[in-house]
Amino acid sequence: MGMAVGNEQGGLTNEPNVVPMIDILLVLLIIFMIIQPMMRKAIDLQLPDPTPQAGPPPANVDQIVLEIGPNMQMSINKEQVSKDRLASRMKEIYDPRPSKVLFVKADGTNKYQDVIWAMDVARGAGVKVIGVPPKDANK
Amino acid sequence: MSMSVGQSGRTTVKAEPNVVPMIDVMLVLLIIFMITVPALAAGFQAVPPEGVNLKPHPEEDSDQVLGIDSEGRYYLNKQAIRNEDLPEALRRIYDARTVDKILFVKAHRDLQYQRVLDAIDIASKNGVRVVGAISDQRPGTESSVEEDRAAAAAQTATP
């Protein structure tokens, strides 16, 4: 190379020492590799139509509503379900059903974590769409 | 020193390790953590609930995140917002959109569900069609839903 001076024995090289730079770049690479997979995860909830059409709503008889009363008293379409039976009961319902829609109507006094838990169980049992009924829906 | 060898000759051999690269790396780590820690801790803080069967949502610039902290205060994209200003802010954002009407809600896990319902109610009246309830994957678990796993795999394959 034209620039190299004294490359003979015991000579000086004027090439920069890149080893520390590579060290630092590798550390940065590792840090970004750790941060990258922290992606967002969520449970999607379909919201009610804010402008419902006047008149009676379409009579949808076979929809499934999970009601969560105070203290996590759960019932699926008025049928009481205990906490540990929820997963198996959901599976029984949704395995033969083509429509994987569930409405979750939870009492406001429950803990958010518990409501999410129930929705989580529902997704595990095959529910694809979780709906939240309008706030002042008929009691 | 009793351990050092060849210290007396003209050409000395040092037995001490070269710590300069290590110090370089440590300083870089220090700087990185000094920058990221205040950015992470500032303003809004909430511990989202845990779940197993969650749907991955790759983060996008257009995402709107509504935070609800353990006191029930609202934060829109990490900026504190007063409860009465929230409907208007959401309306401004979602009226301009024809697609992507999803609002992510990152609420503290120990909140009363009523607080979340109130936020969902405000959202539904102001143009939001879908709420994504942000949750943490329970450590060591994986979603049992086929599509979630496929989406997660696609995400890691193409960063």
Side-chain angles (χ1 to χ4, degrees), chain B residues 4-76:
Chain B
S4 51
V5 177
Q7 199 77 298
S8 53
R10 288 268 163 79
T11 55
T12 56
V13 177
K14 280 194 291 178
E16 276 117 48
N18 182 12
V19 291
V20 174
M22 196 181 82
I23 294 172
D24 289 352
V25 169
M26 292 297 170
L27 283 177
V28 169
L29 281 177
L30 181 72
I31 292 169
I32 287 174
F33 284 113
M34 279 170 62
I35 293 170
T36 51
V37 167
L40 291 177
F44 166 64
Q45 268 197 313
V47 185
E50 276 187 352
V52 177
N53 306 302
L54 307 175
K55 186 176 171 193
H57 281 278
E59 295 195 16
E60 286 171 34
D61 293 341
S62 60
D63 286 351
Q64 306 294 325
V65 181
L66 174 72
I68 311 175
D69 71 8
S70 53
E71 306 292 315
R73 288 183 291 252
Y74 292 144
Y75 296 80
L76 190 58

Side-chain angles (χ1 to χ4, degrees), chain A residues 66-70 72-75 104-107 110 114-115 118:
Chain A
L66 171 67
E67 273 189 78
I68 308 178
M72 292 300 284
Q73 299 281 314
M74 287 179 291
S75 54
V104 175
K105 190 168 160 189
D107 191 84
N110 288 304
D114 294 336
V115 178

Side-chain angles (χ1 to χ4, degrees), chain A residues 20 23 27-28 31 39-45 47-48 50 106 108 110-113 120 123-124 128 135, chain B residues 21 25 32 49-50 52-53 55 57 63 65 109 111 113-114 118 124 129 131 133-135 137 147-148 155:
Chain A
D23 289 352
V27 169
L28 285 175
I31 288 174
M39 65 173 119
R40 181 144 47 215
K41 294 201 170 191
I43 293 177
D44 287 357
L45 310 175
L47 301 190
N110 288 304
K111 248 168 66 173
Y112 180 50
Q113 167 73 72
D120 193 43
R123 288 210 75 206
K128 293 269 182 293
K135 198 178 184 185
Chain B
V25 169
I32 287 174
E50 276 187 352
V52 177
N53 306 302
K55 186 176 171 193
H57 281 278
D63 286 351
V65 181
R109 63 169 65 158
L111 276 173
Y113 185 56
Q114 188 59 51
D118 291 343
S124 78
R129 303 301 331 129
V131 160
I134 293 182
S135 310
Q137 188 77 40
E147 290 95 82
D148 298 345
Q155 167 80 34

